[in-house]
């Protein structure tokens, strides 16, 4: 069993997966920090300083000014502000990841096509060629 476990761990795809998880966790912290520390303060400024985390519906008898007071008192609350904040953060994180993937895909764009195929002998020839160097046929 130990030999089988060692063979499992030594496979390349397991190591690749481990590296991907570690890099993914670090990337999530960076993107999360970007959203929390850069985007959300700007969003708070644009919305007039609305603190979504303090929006809640009290389901118990007492009156509480903040969610922290309600939690301290053990009151039942419906915390829709936290849901709104989580949804906004999710959308922002998804948008930032979209921008990064989009930029990465543009950097990996395929090289420009510089050849075409001769219609007679199927040899690759330059786009500007008027005759095939292999079969000497005229190409249009």
């Amino acid at each position: 069993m130990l030999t089988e476990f060692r063979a499992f761990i030594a496979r390349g795809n397991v190591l690749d997966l481990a590296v991907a998880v570690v890099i993914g966790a670090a990337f999530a912290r960076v993107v999360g920090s970007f959203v929390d520390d850069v985007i959300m303060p700007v969003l708070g400024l644009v919305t007039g300083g609305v603190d979504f985390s303090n929006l809640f519906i009290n389901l118990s008898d007492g009156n509480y000014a903040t969610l922290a007071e309600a939690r301290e008192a053990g009151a039942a609350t419906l915390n829709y502000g936290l849901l709104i904040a989580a949804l906004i953060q999710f959308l922002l994180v998804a948008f930032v990841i979209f921008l990064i993937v989009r930029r990465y895909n543009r950097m990996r764009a395929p090289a420009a096509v510089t050849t075409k195929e001769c219609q007679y002998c199927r040899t690759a020839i330059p786009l500007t060629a008027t005759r095939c160097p292999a079969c000497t046929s005229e190409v249009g």
Side-chain angles (χ1 to χ4, degrees):
M1 186 161 109
L2 184 60
T3 306
E4 190 177 350
F5 178 71
R6 190 173 355 144
F8 172 74
I9 292 297
R11 289 188 357 204
N13 55 358
V14 172
L15 295 176
D16 291 343
L17 179 62
V19 169
V21 167
V22 170
I23 290 175
F27 184 71
R29 284 194 303 264
V30 169
V31 172
S33 175
F34 177 72
V35 169
D36 290 340
D37 302 331
V38 177
I39 302 294
M40 287 303 271
V42 172
L43 186 65
L45 185 65
V46 169
T47 60
V50 174
D51 183 14
F52 292 109
S53 63
N54 231 2
L55 300 175
F56 66 99
I57 296 174
N58 185 8
L59 300 176
S60 61
D61 293 333
N63 289 330
Y64 306 102
T66 65
L67 180 59
E69 288 178 12
R71 283 187 172 171
E72 189 176 309
T77 58
L78 185 64
N79 306 325
Y80 68 92
L82 294 175
L83 176 63
I84 292 171
L87 288 173
I88 290 171
Q89 185 172 11
F90 170 76
L91 291 173
L92 290 172
V93 168
F95 184 68
V96 168
I97 290 173
F98 165 74
L99 292 176
I100 291 170
V101 169
R102 183 175 172 213
R103 174 62 61 185
Y104 176 75
N105 286 339
R106 285 189 178 172
M107 288 183 348
R108 287 188 40 218
V113 177
T114 58
T115 61
K116 61 184 176 182
E117 191 176 76
C118 173
Q119 59 198 14
Y120 301 106
C121 69
R122 304 292 182 221
T123 302
I125 58 174
L127 286 175
T128 57
T130 56
R131 282 196 181 268
C132 175
C135 68
T136 68
S137 299
E138 286 190 32
V139 268

